[in-house]
Amino acid sequence: MLRRCHISVINGNDNAGRHNHFCDRSNPAMTNPRALAALATVACLSATAQAGVVTTDGADIIVNTNSGLEVKTADGETSFKLGGRLQLDGSTWDGATNKGSDDWGSDLWFRRARIELAGKSGDWGYEAAYNLVDSGSIQDANISYEGWGSMFRVVAGQQKEDFGMEDTQSSKWITFIERSMPTNAFETGQSVGLKLTGANDALTYSVGVYRAAIDADDNSLDEAWTGRFVYRPILADDGTLLHLGIGATLRNGSFEALGSRLARGGEDGNASKVQAAYTAGEAEELLIYNFEAAGQLGSGHIAAEYFIAEASDNEAAGDMDAEGFYVELGYVLTGEQRGYKNAIAAFDKVKPASAGGAWELTARYDQLDVDNDDPLMKITGEVGSSYTVGLNWYATQLVKIMANYSYVEVDKEINDQDDGNVFSMRAQYAF
Amino acid sequence: MLRRCHISVINGNDNAGRHNHFCDRSNPAMTNPRALAALATVACLSATAQAGVVTTDGADIIVNTNSGLEVKTADGETSFKLGGRLQLDGSTWDGATNKGSDDWGSDLWFRRARIELAGKSGDWGYEAAYNLVDSGSIQDANISYEGWGSMFRVVAGQQKEDFGMEDTQSSKWITFIERSMPTNAFETGQSVGLKLTGANDALTYSVGVYRAAIDADDNSLDEAWTGRFVYRPILADDGTLLHLGIGATLRNGSFEALGSRLARGGEDGNASKVQAAYTAGEAEELLIYNFEAAGQLGSGHIAAEYFIAEASDNEAAGDMDAEGFYVELGYVLTGEQRGYKNAIAAFDKVKPASAGGAWELTARYDQLDVDNDDPLMKITGEVGSSYTVGLNWYATQLVKIMANYSYVEVDKEINDQDDGNVFSMRAQYAF
Amino acid sequence: MLRRCHISVINGNDNAGRHNHFCDRSNPAMTNPRALAALATVACLSATAQAGVVTTDGADIIVNTNSGLEVKTADGETSFKLGGRLQLDGSTWDGATNKGSDDWGSDLWFRRARIELAGKSGDWGYEAAYNLVDSGSIQDANISYEGWGSMFRVVAGQQKEDFGMEDTQSSKWITFIERSMPTNAFETGQSVGLKLTGANDALTYSVGVYRAAIDADDNSLDEAWTGRFVYRPILADDGTLLHLGIGATLRNGSFEALGSRLARGGEDGNASKVQAAYTAGEAEELLIYNFEAAGQLGSGHIAAEYFIAEASDNEAAGDMDAEGFYVELGYVLTGEQRGYKNAIAAFDKVKPASAGGAWELTARYDQLDVDNDDPLMKITGEVGSSYTVGLNWYATQLVKIMANYSYVEVDKEINDQDDGNVFSMRAQYAF
């Protein structure tokens, strides 16, 4: 801390003349050059001669720009954080994954562009995240109360419902460019509601009741009850982890289809889906369960989830079933380790340890089955599965470059084809 | 300021060895432990050993996060402030206040969600506030000149017109969850225009000419001339206040109706209104006057306003009259006092003095009369009045929790009922 | 740096008593008032007694609010910047420039209102700029890599295409309220793409491939290849400059018209255009060249550009030609000089040197010729030219007030008139 200091700082100030005067022989401490150097060292905390002084008129403050901008009081009472994320994606896909007439579909677009504010004041916190794409919409807007400790945190407003490990994980730090097909098919997304959540080293839980998001196109979600429980038999200081969890969500509203895009990385317009869709009526209730497991050892991690869903109460047609699972593997070649957040029971970022950044190899198998034999349902793809390999480069703490290749198969041909390929790249800046 | 300092700071720096050397017996000041401690105290202004240094490359800067983030130069020449407000409301209403078919209407939604920027550079200032709800719209966007002193401030761009004490007060610090019916009925809102405003301890004035807001759905306002004059016979250092004011606005455009929602806290869609609406033609001129009075003594405040309006120049139908008033009382149980801003002649926040926050009891009676006997007008409710009681908890300087109950009466039955009840709650984070 | 320091700082701290004790006669340095003053000087880096301390928990940080807010680490590795621009315009126009039925058209509106974020992390940077007007849209959203030095910078995402000197210059610091007619007619605007750009003292280049912007109303641009090359034979330390450049853009998509508004400062709705428009079919290819030259000597600058364009591949109609040029002059009366940015080869702001601000006189002649004799084209105005004079007041580093008058002529009468006048004013706050 006491660096870049020169004796000239003392001599360079406005009273230099007087200082020279007072350094008389009668005081050995003041005439000893080493003593003077020590005083100079003491003096020049804020270093360079032309630098101005930064103070605060309230409680002591800590500033950092590790990621965007964070300002907090040293006593931890108040904080303010401004950040955001930019994800620029390029993707190309063919065969069964391509709905269009060309051999290869392709797109270049911003997958996510958000500005994010968060802060706290005493026991109260807030989050506000705004989507810049799609002419603007609110991603998160909530107020939380943390006065009962980390085991009983209340969040009110628009927020993640916390269902499924991969869906709960931040989109900034997901292992692949797109989440797996079952996570896409059964994601609960952002909703307006009230959540009670808590975590310690061994346990994370979240229960809440929700309704449709503020900017939801339709109000297709009337009410949802969602819970998630994760137990960590192993969580060592060296990052060794065993994570086991279950979740459930019961949703009332109108549900027309269950499914997921196949060409993850493409837009809805020209990438095909594995999907079951009602041709008459709508289900009014949707019940989904999931089971999740994850582990980390050194630089390697594994994660797997299984989902099973049933849409019911369609007056015109029968119940609609869907299920799916994925298994993913990741290994950081440069020796770093994925972070893990107890508060949301999900993996976090890889922080590069060296100037060259961190490199991670990844692989995933996922499958989504929407096979139903009701004549009032239109089934696309029936069972979709994909084999994905990827390479992630964490260039700096804020910049991640990702490349993914997927080989995709469907049981029921799409465009007379039963397989396809998807190449994707992402440049991400998360500040 | 010189706290949390340990002698280890000196010994912990890169030159620790040399320092030990120079502490030889020949210099008693340097070998005396108390003297060394004093030097160490002098040294460690920025406290902890791992803390880095924050400087500026320009004029000295003051940073604070009392509310969002503020950075200003110590000479007062330049400043930048980033903040916002989140208001999450829950409300339920019945009887005459409920337009819907159910016994009780209810809603949970963000009443306001805004990001706000403001700053100054020399004599010039700006404000930019953006609404996140409703797919985004500009709330404020204006540039001001303050070079002629606080009695002659010019504001150009989208801004509040300054009409009525309750409407001029910030929505962050209004006494009730919703402003009174007459304030809703006669509010001028945000408009694009040019305002001259000034204030000293005794007087506040504002005169301006305006047109419709940037994001106005229609351009129903062609031109408005609006003025407000407030005199404070009493404004003591202990907060004792007597405030007397008048205002007027003359508006050209197309005006179809005059009225206000009854179930304040509900959305337009399912809460009923007291309203007069033309069934033929539109008024092209609207003239509104108001009279306002307010006082504060210790922890109690009182405020009242009376409005009278006439819409005229409808080629098809006659003139439309409306009038209304409210009286409100507030008492801060924990002994704090409402702030009051001379610049806008309106009450401001209650700053909690203790860790438990501040608690305020409130009560209001308001009435809106839109009775007209022109056969080309549709009259709803005719005369509406409501009795409201409330409790405000200022949990921290940034967090306010509000609860309101209103008993509402109408002269002309709505849904065969002449009264109703409204329960509302708000969680507000104003950063 | 070591200013505003008083001996009372030492005596005013919590341990004042002890300090007095340890200042005993046995240590002359500590009892000598001048020595004590020196220590006090040393102590009070952050000055006033009530000021709190600002530190960082990471690398040393430099904060400034010269313009908005900038926070960067002292090692240059990480930075974050938040700013924006507000441009409030008033304008009135008559004769050939007025499409409406009145003698004079007029408007008061926000020409631009943006929030802008930018930052860097190691070799990577980003920009995100959001338009508040028009219900919000993305202006810029890109990620850049600067690891190969300033001669080889890669920018991916939505960005300026860099075509034409006046179009490449920031809209914050253009010489006139509106860019010239040919620049408006042939501007490439913001597009999504990949650019390679570089600059040293003598050379600036930029080559890229692009597609339509994220929020483009239509996808009329399928693909564009755009390049610009600027050579500076003279670039002296005193600002003396000679700038010579060429550019070209080849664009595939659908192009219906070529032209520009005449009443620069008015909205499309009621200000007339010089324009050639197809009445049948659309051109599928557009090729534009430009030549640019600029110079600066002392407080004066001159700039000129010539453009020539051809739209072709219209299956129904013939090729459409257009050309145009402008010459502009500016002289800063108060002796300052325009900045110039090598990185984009364009003029930058005038920084006022004194408290009264900087004043700049400007003049421009511009011309746009869209004369074509194809019967399947509708030609408005045919050849438009305007003489503009202006006065810019750079009131502070962030505030600029502009006034422009233009006399406009057209070869082919509009509303039976062949000339018109335009008066415009702008108040700009660029933070």
Side-chain angles (χ1 to χ4, degrees):
Chain A
M1 187 173 126
L2 304 180
R3 58 204 129 154
R4 290 199 309 277
C5 291
H6 311 287
I7 196 163
S8 62
V9 172
I10 276 198
N11 290 328
N13 74 21
D14 296 343
N15 302 317
R18 280 204 293 154
H19 286 158
N20 287 339
H21 262 287
F22 101 88
C23 290
D24 61 348
R25 281 277 151 203
S26 69
N27 175 9
M30 292 301 157
T31 50
N32 180 328
R34 287 220 295 259
L36 265 179
L39 274 175
T41 304
V42 159
C44 50
L45 289 177
S46 28
T48 55
Q50 64 272 40
V53 173
V54 177
T55 55
T56 177
D57 47 13
D60 287 4
I61 277 185
I62 298 170
V63 176
N64 76 60
T65 181
N66 300 338
S67 141
L69 173 65
E70 189 178 20
V71 178
K72 56 191 173 193
T73 54
D75 60 16
E77 278 300 296
T78 312
S79 73
F80 174 80
K81 188 174 182 337
L82 172 62
R85 66 190 74 179
L86 292 175
Q87 293 180 340
L88 178 65
D89 282 17
S91 190
T92 184
W93 54 92
D94 80 342
T97 64
N98 187 17
K99 226 163 83 178
S101 54
D102 297 331
D103 272 2
W104 286 89
S106 71
D107 210 350
L108 171 70
W109 78 109
F110 274 90
R111 180 64 173 88
R112 293 177 184 90
R114 290 185 199 153
I115 294 181
E116 297 157 352
L117 298 169
K120 66 170 289 194
S121 169
D123 291 330
W124 301 81
Y126 71 92
E127 279 185 323
Y130 194 66
N131 292 306
L132 301 187
V133 286
D134 303 325
S135 296
S137 63
I138 294 176
Q139 177 75 13
D140 294 303
N142 59 63
I143 296 175
S144 55
Y145 182 72
E146 306 177 2
W148 297 318
S150 62
M151 277 309 283
F152 300 97
R153 194 169 153 262
V154 177
V155 188
Q158 184 156 322
Q159 55 187 305
K160 271 205 174 175
E161 285 192 29
D162 292 353
F163 177 70
M165 174 173 47
E166 197 186 20
D167 191 49
T168 302
Q169 189 177 3
S170 167
S171 67
K172 293 194 285 193
W173 308 118
I174 44 178
T175 308
F176 298 88
I177 291 175
E178 292 292 327
R179 295 184 174 103
S180 68
M181 284 189 287
T183 293
N184 280 332
F186 307 122
E187 69 165 355
T188 49
Q190 314 300 112
S191 310
V192 174
L194 195 68
K195 183 201 285 173
L196 178 66
T197 180
N200 60 19
D201 278 352
L203 186 76
T204 301
Y205 77 93
S206 160
V207 290
V209 56
Y210 308 92
R211 47 169 286 180
I214 300 167
D215 295 316
D217 289 338
D218 46 25
N219 283 305
S220 63
L221 180 64
D222 293 331
E223 196 178 67
W225 293 86
T226 303
R228 179 171 176 244
F229 302 85
V230 172
Y231 174 58
R232 284 174 289 274
I234 305 175
L235 179 66
D237 286 345
D238 68 355
T240 305
L241 167 78
L242 181 59
H243 157 131
L244 301 170
I246 57 168
T249 181
L250 176 63
R251 310 176 79 74
N252 294 114
S254 56
F255 307 99
E256 299 171 5
L258 284 175
S260 168
R261 281 167 291 120
L262 267 174
R264 300 186 293 278
E267 286 177 338
D268 277 338
N270 46 7
S272 35
K273 289 182 175 177
V274 168
Q275 183 177 271
Y278 282 114
T279 56
E282 296 166 337
E284 292 182 1
E285 188 178 291
L286 176 62
L287 179 62
I288 319 176
Y289 294 99
N290 93 308
F291 302 92
E292 51 186 76
Q296 183 166 253
L297 191 65
S299 294
H301 88 271
I302 183 167
E305 284 185 87
Y306 170 73
F307 295 84
I308 183 161
E310 186 177 71
S312 57
D313 286 359
N314 182 335
E315 294 193 358
D319 293 354
M320 182 189 283
D321 296 306
E323 63 175 332
F325 70 92
Y326 74 87
V327 182
E328 75 168 44
L329 297 164
Y331 189 80
V332 186
L333 303 171
T334 41
E336 291 89 343
Q337 199 173 48
R338 279 206 163 249
Y340 179 89
K341 282 190 167 171
N342 284 0
I344 56 168
F347 284 114
D348 198 47
K349 71 172 107 177
V350 175
K351 278 194 197 179
S354 62
W359 292 84
E360 184 183 33
L361 262 180
T362 62
R364 177 175 71 193
Y365 176 75
D366 62 336
Q367 184 181 300
L368 177 65
D369 179 350
V370 297
D371 194 8
N372 282 274
D373 58 6
D374 192 302
L376 293 175
M377 292 182 205
K378 178 173 186 293
I379 307 296
T380 315
E382 219 170 70
V383 180
S385 54
S386 70
Y387 302 82
T388 304
V389 291
L391 185 64
N392 298 330
W393 178 34
Y394 302 84
T396 76
Q397 277 205 34
L398 309 188
V399 177
K400 181 171 67 158
I401 309 296
M402 306 176 82
N404 281 183
Y405 163 73
S406 294
Y407 172 72
V408 182
E409 288 177 318
V410 287
D411 273 19
K412 188 175 162 184
E413 290 186 348
I414 299 176
N415 295 337
D416 300 322
Q417 298 187 71
D418 64 0
D419 65 356
N421 301 278
V422 184
F423 294 92
S424 308
M425 286 205 61
R426 168 171 297 168
Q428 170 179 304
Y429 202 111
F431 56 97
Chain B
M1 189 172 125
L2 305 180
R3 57 206 130 152
R4 290 200 310 277
C5 290
H6 310 286
I7 195 162
S8 62
V9 173
I10 276 199
N11 290 328
N13 74 21
D14 296 344
N15 302 317
R18 281 205 292 156
H19 287 157
N20 287 339
H21 262 286
F22 104 87
C23 291
D24 61 347
R25 282 277 152 202
S26 68
N27 175 9
M30 291 304 156
T31 51
N32 179 330
R34 286 222 294 259
L36 265 177
L39 275 174
T41 303
V42 160
C44 49
L45 289 177
S46 29
T48 56
Q50 64 272 43
V53 173
V54 177
T55 55
T56 177
D57 47 13
D60 287 4
I61 277 185
I62 297 170
V63 176
N64 76 62
T65 182
N66 300 337
S67 142
L69 173 66
E70 190 178 19
V71 178
K72 55 191 174 193
T73 55
D75 59 16
E77 279 299 296
T78 312
S79 73
F80 174 81
K81 187 171 181 339
L82 172 63
R85 67 189 73 179
L86 292 175
Q87 293 180 340
L88 178 65
D89 282 17
S91 189
T92 183
W93 55 91
D94 81 341
T97 64
N98 187 16
K99 225 163 83 179
S101 54
D102 297 331
D103 272 1
W104 286 90
S106 71
D107 210 351
L108 172 69
W109 78 109
F110 274 90
R111 179 64 174 87
R112 293 178 184 90
R114 291 185 197 152
I115 294 180
E116 298 156 352
L117 298 170
K120 66 170 288 194
S121 169
D123 291 328
W124 300 82
Y126 71 92
E127 280 186 322
Y130 194 67
N131 292 306
L132 302 186
V133 287
D134 302 325
S135 296
S137 63
I138 294 176
Q139 177 74 14
D140 294 304
N142 58 62
I143 296 176
S144 55
Y145 181 73
E146 306 176 1
W148 298 318
S150 61
M151 277 309 283
F152 299 97
R153 194 169 154 262
V154 177
V155 187
Q158 184 156 321
Q159 55 188 302
K160 271 204 175 176
E161 285 192 30
D162 293 352
F163 178 69
M165 174 173 47
E166 197 186 20
D167 191 50
T168 302
Q169 189 177 2
S170 168
S171 66
K172 293 194 285 194
W173 309 118
I174 43 179
T175 309
F176 299 87
I177 291 176
E178 292 292 328
R179 294 186 174 104
S180 68
M181 284 189 287
T183 293
N184 280 333
F186 307 120
E187 68 164 355
T188 48
Q190 313 301 112
S191 310
V192 174
L194 194 67
K195 183 200 287 173
L196 177 67
T197 181
N200 60 20
D201 279 353
L203 187 75
T204 301
Y205 77 93
S206 160
V207 288
V209 56
Y210 308 92
R211 45 169 289 180
I214 300 168
D215 295 316
D217 289 339
D218 46 25
N219 283 306
S220 63
L221 180 64
D222 293 331
E223 196 177 69
W225 293 86
T226 303
R228 179 172 176 244
F229 302 86
V230 173
Y231 174 59
R232 284 174 289 275
I234 305 175
L235 178 65
D237 285 346
D238 68 354
T240 305
L241 167 78
L242 180 58
H243 157 131
L244 301 170
I246 56 168
T249 181
L250 175 62
R251 312 175 79 74
N252 294 115
S254 54
F255 308 98
E256 298 171 6
L258 285 174
S260 168
R261 282 166 290 119
L262 269 174
R264 300 186 294 276
E267 286 177 338
D268 277 337
N270 47 8
S272 33
K273 289 183 175 176
V274 168
Q275 183 176 271
Y278 283 114
T279 57
E282 297 165 338
E284 291 182 4
E285 188 178 292
L286 176 61
L287 178 63
I288 320 175
Y289 294 98
N290 93 310
F291 303 91
E292 50 186 77
Q296 185 166 253
L297 190 66
S299 295
H301 88 272
I302 183 167
E305 284 185 87
Y306 170 73
F307 295 84
I308 183 160
E310 185 177 73
S312 56
D313 286 359
N314 183 335
E315 295 192 358
D319 293 355
M320 182 189 283
D321 296 306
E323 63 175 331
F325 71 92
Y326 73 87
V327 182
E328 76 168 43
L329 296 164
Y331 188 80
V332 186
L333 304 170
T334 41
E336 292 89 344
Q337 198 172 49
R338 278 206 164 250
Y340 178 89
K341 283 190 165 172
N342 285 0
I344 56 169
F347 284 114
D348 198 47
K349 71 172 107 177
V350 174
K351 279 194 196 178
S354 63
W359 292 85
E360 184 183 32
L361 262 179
T362 62
R364 177 175 70 194
Y365 176 74
D366 62 335
Q367 184 182 300
L368 177 65
D369 179 348
V370 298
D371 194 8
N372 282 275
D373 58 6
D374 192 302
L376 293 175
M377 293 180 205
K378 179 175 186 291
I379 308 296
T380 315
E382 221 170 70
V383 181
S385 54
S386 69
Y387 303 82
T388 304
V389 290
L391 185 62
N392 298 329
W393 177 35
Y394 301 84
T396 76
Q397 278 205 34
L398 309 188
V399 177
K400 181 171 66 158
I401 308 295
M402 305 175 83
N404 281 184
Y405 163 73
S406 295
Y407 171 71
V408 182
E409 287 177 319
V410 288
D411 273 19
K412 187 175 164 186
E413 290 188 348
I414 299 175
N415 296 336
D416 300 323
Q417 296 187 73
D418 64 1
D419 65 356
N421 302 277
V422 184
F423 295 92
S424 308
M425 286 204 63
R426 168 171 297 169
Q428 169 179 305
Y429 202 111
F431 56 96
Chain C
M1 190 172 121
L2 303 179
R3 57 206 130 155
R4 289 200 310 277
C5 289
H6 311 286
I7 196 163
S8 62
V9 172
I10 276 198
N11 290 328
N13 74 21
D14 297 343
N15 302 317
R18 279 206 292 155
H19 287 157
N20 288 339
H21 262 288
F22 104 87
C23 291
D24 61 348
R25 281 277 151 202
S26 69
N27 175 8
M30 292 303 157
T31 51
N32 178 330
R34 286 221 296 259
L36 265 178
L39 274 174
T41 303
V42 160
C44 51
L45 289 177
S46 28
T48 55
Q50 64 272 40
V53 173
V54 177
T55 54
T56 177
D57 47 12
D60 286 4
I61 276 183
I62 297 169
V63 176
N64 76 61
T65 181
N66 301 338
S67 142
L69 174 66
E70 190 179 19
V71 179
K72 55 192 174 193
T73 55
D75 59 16
E77 279 298 296
T78 312
S79 73
F80 174 81
K81 187 171 181 341
L82 172 62
R85 68 189 72 180
L86 292 175
Q87 293 179 341
L88 178 65
D89 283 17
S91 190
T92 185
W93 54 92
D94 80 342
T97 64
N98 186 17
K99 226 164 81 179
S101 54
D102 298 332
D103 272 0
W104 286 89
S106 71
D107 210 350
L108 172 69
W109 79 108
F110 274 90
R111 179 64 174 86
R112 294 177 183 90
R114 291 185 197 152
I115 294 180
E116 297 157 351
L117 298 170
K120 66 170 289 194
S121 170
D123 292 329
W124 301 81
Y126 71 93
E127 279 185 322
Y130 194 67
N131 292 306
L132 301 186
V133 286
D134 302 325
S135 296
S137 63
I138 294 175
Q139 177 73 13
D140 294 303
N142 59 63
I143 296 175
S144 55
Y145 181 73
E146 306 176 2
W148 297 317
S150 61
M151 278 308 284
F152 299 97
R153 194 168 155 264
V154 177
V155 187
Q158 184 157 323
Q159 56 186 303
K160 272 206 175 174
E161 284 192 30
D162 292 354
F163 177 69
M165 175 173 45
E166 196 186 22
D167 192 48
T168 301
Q169 189 177 3
S170 167
S171 67
K172 292 194 285 193
W173 308 119
I174 44 178
T175 307
F176 298 88
I177 291 175
E178 291 292 328
R179 295 185 174 102
S180 67
M181 283 189 286
T183 293
N184 280 333
F186 307 121
E187 69 165 354
T188 48
Q190 313 300 113
S191 310
V192 175
L194 195 69
K195 182 201 287 173
L196 178 67
T197 180
N200 58 21
D201 278 352
L203 187 76
T204 301
Y205 77 93
S206 160
V207 289
V209 56
Y210 308 93
R211 46 169 288 178
I214 299 167
D215 294 316
D217 289 337
D218 46 24
N219 283 305
S220 63
L221 180 65
D222 293 332
E223 195 177 69
W225 293 86
T226 303
R228 179 171 176 245
F229 301 87
V230 173
Y231 173 58
R232 283 174 289 274
I234 305 175
L235 179 65
D237 285 346
D238 68 355
T240 305
L241 167 77
L242 179 60
H243 158 130
L244 301 170
I246 56 168
T249 180
L250 176 63
R251 311 175 79 75
N252 294 114
S254 55
F255 307 99
E256 299 170 5
L258 284 175
S260 168
R261 281 168 290 118
L262 268 174
R264 299 186 294 279
E267 285 177 340
D268 277 337
N270 46 7
S272 35
K273 289 183 176 177
V274 168
Q275 184 176 270
Y278 283 114
T279 57
E282 297 165 338
E284 293 182 1
E285 188 177 292
L286 176 62
L287 178 63
I288 319 176
Y289 294 98
N290 93 310
F291 302 91
E292 50 187 75
Q296 184 165 252
L297 190 64
S299 293
H301 88 271
I302 183 168
E305 284 186 86
Y306 170 74
F307 295 84
I308 182 160
E310 185 175 73
S312 56
D313 286 359
N314 183 336
E315 295 194 356
D319 292 354
M320 181 188 284
D321 296 305
E323 62 175 332
F325 70 93
Y326 73 87
V327 182
E328 75 169 43
L329 297 163
Y331 188 80
V332 187
L333 303 171
T334 41
E336 292 89 343
Q337 199 173 48
R338 279 208 163 248
Y340 179 89
K341 282 191 166 171
N342 285 359
I344 56 169
F347 284 114
D348 199 45
K349 71 172 107 176
V350 175
K351 280 194 196 178
S354 63
W359 292 85
E360 184 183 32
L361 262 181
T362 61
R364 177 175 69 193
Y365 176 74
D366 62 336
Q367 183 182 299
L368 178 65
D369 178 349
V370 297
D371 192 9
N372 282 274
D373 59 5
D374 192 301
L376 293 175
M377 293 181 206
K378 179 173 185 293
I379 307 297
T380 314
E382 221 170 69
V383 180
S385 54
S386 69
Y387 302 81
T388 304
V389 290
L391 183 63
N392 298 329
W393 177 34
Y394 302 84
T396 76
Q397 278 204 33
L398 310 188
V399 176
K400 181 171 66 159
I401 309 295
M402 307 176 81
N404 281 183
Y405 163 72
S406 295
Y407 171 71
V408 182
E409 288 177 318
V410 288
D411 274 18
K412 188 176 164 186
E413 290 186 348
I414 299 176
N415 296 337
D416 299 323
Q417 297 186 73
D418 64 1
D419 64 357
N421 302 276
V422 185
F423 294 91
S424 307
M425 285 204 62
R426 168 171 296 169
Q428 169 178 304
Y429 202 111
F431 55 97

